[in-house]
């Protein structure tokens, strides 16, 4: 008796989650230094940044201040400091990325009535599916996100000793300081931020990536084939994934950066911003440092998604694992 097709195996429903988890873990490890740089710049007080950067002769512009502050972190904690909190970050990223792909694929099918056509999902359906998936799934691993933010923003004395606080220590610190509510600090802003961020990433990436005219233009201009195979779910080449991922990351990260900054500040232990509406926190930051203060940490974030196109790599690894390892090639992108 012939074996059933691989895509009909009992574990098929879990393929998007497993593939997404692998993609999230791989990409997060490579982008850890840029991720921590973003968090450090988002959560540091303006006075602390000025003081830390003053050793370099005094920084005047926002970019000089950011570079001076990161140089101070590098000098005082060493290069390994930029991977601090990566273990927690990988766990959180694998859980949320796997869940995002799993829910997104199913919501996309449920939203078939608003597809552009029978063989074209269209940007609105992708944006809606991605936004709903992102907002829902961030809640699943949110305590890890709060812990990771506190670890990444702290110094070696965060645990009261000459070493960095670990996952268990930070969990205990959050619980002692804020109780169970401490693990939900900044959740509304995070749901809004991550919902918009994931929705824009999925919507922009897949819409660009599956556009035949754009793919043909890319192929003529660069000489690279945009797709590796044909069928229901053609997998993109590495180069085409990087291009589409960079564009999606550039737009999504720029638009949601103010919300991302606010949610990080609300997550910190002892932060007075946790009990305030996110728009009140944003207004206070803008009054203190001007509109540019809302985009603190944007440069390393854009480096992460554009110069090192984390978004494109994430989608590429996801499809690679899904199709080449699990043999799951069905479903319209």
């Amino acid at each position: 008796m012939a074996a059933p097709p691989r895509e009909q195996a009992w574990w098929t429903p879990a393929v998007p989650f497993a593939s997404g988890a692998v993609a999230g873990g791989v990409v997060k490890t490579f982008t850890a230094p840029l991720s921590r740089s973003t968090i450090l710049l988002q959560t540091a007080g303006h006075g602390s940044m000025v003081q830390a950067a003053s050793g370099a002769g005094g920084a005047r512009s926002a970019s000089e201040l950011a570079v001076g502050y990161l140089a101070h972190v590098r000098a005082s904690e060493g290069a390994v400091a930029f991977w601090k909190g990566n273990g927690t970050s990988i766990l959180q990223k694998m859980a949320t990325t796997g869940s995002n792909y799993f829910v997104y694929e199913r919501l996309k099918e449920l939203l078939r009535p608003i597809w552009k056509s029978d063989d074209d999902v269209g940007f609105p359906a992708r944006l809606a599916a991605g936004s709903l998936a992102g907002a829902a799934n961030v809640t699943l691993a949110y305590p890890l996100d709060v812990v990771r933010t506190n670890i990444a923003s702290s110094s070696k004395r965060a645990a009261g000793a000459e070493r960095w606080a670990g996952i268990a220590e930070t969990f205990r610190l959050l619980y002692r300081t804020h109780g169970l509510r401490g693990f939900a600090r900044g959740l509304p802003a995070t749901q809004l931020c991550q919902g918009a961020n994931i929705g824009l990433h999925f919507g922009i990436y897949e819409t660009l990536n599956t556009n035949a005219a754009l793919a043909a233009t890319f192929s003529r201009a660069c000489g690279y084939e945009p797709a590796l195979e044909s069928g229901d779910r053609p997998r993109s080449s590495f180069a085409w994934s990087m291009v589409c991922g960079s564009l999606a990351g550039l737009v999504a990260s720029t638009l949601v950066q103010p919300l991302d900054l606010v949610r990080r500040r609300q997550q910190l232990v002892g932060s007075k911003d946790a009990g305030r509406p996110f728009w009140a926190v944003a207004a206070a930051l803008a009054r203190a440092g001007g509109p540019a203060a809302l985009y603190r940490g944007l440069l390393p974030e854009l480096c992460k998604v554009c110069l090192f196109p984390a978004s494109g790599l994430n989608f590429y690894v996801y499809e690679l694992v899904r199709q080449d390892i699990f043999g799951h090639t069905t479903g319209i992108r």
Side-chain angles (χ1 to χ4, degrees), residues 36 77 81 83-89 144 146-174 176 269:
R36 198 200 172 205
E77 300 186 24
W83 274 269
K84 183 156 71 78
N86 193 47
T88 311
S89 183
L144 280 174
V146 176
V147 169
R148 178 241 179 170
T149 297
N150 280 275
I151 293 176
S153 64
S154 66
S155 67
K156 286 187 178 181
R157 289 188 174 272
E162 286 296 335
R163 58 190 176 87
W164 290 314
I167 297 176
E169 291 168 307
T170 306
F171 261 107
R172 288 195 294 268
L173 177 61
L174 276 163
R176 286 198 308 267
V269 173

Side-chain angles (χ1 to χ4, degrees), residues 167-247:
I167 297 176
E169 291 168 307
T170 306
F171 261 107
R172 288 195 294 268
L173 177 61
L174 276 163
Y175 183 75
R176 286 198 308 267
T177 307
H178 301 293
L180 290 176
R181 290 184 179 182
F183 299 100
R185 294 164 66 85
L187 180 56
T190 299
Q191 289 171 324
L192 182 59
C193 170
Q194 291 301 91
N197 189 31
I198 298 302
L200 287 168
H201 268 94
F202 276 114
I204 295 172
Y205 176 87
E206 280 201 353
T207 300
L208 292 175
N209 196 257
T210 57
N211 186 287
L214 289 176
T217 301
F218 167 79
S219 180
R220 287 194 301 270
C222 302
Y224 292 104
E225 287 299 322
L228 299 181
E229 55 188 73
S230 60
D232 280 353
R233 197 180 183 92
R235 182 162 71 80
S236 298
S237 66
F238 181 79
W240 184 227
S241 290
M242 297 305 104
V243 170
C244 296
S246 293
L247 293 173

Side-chain angles (χ1 to χ4, degrees), residues 279-297:
W279 57 83
V281 179
L285 287 168
R287 284 195 300 269
L294 297 175
Y295 289 89
R296 188 192 299 170

Side-chain angles (χ1 to χ4, degrees), residues 134-143 187 191:
N137 289 326
V138 72
T139 308
L140 297 176
Y142 191 67
L187 180 56
Q191 289 171 324

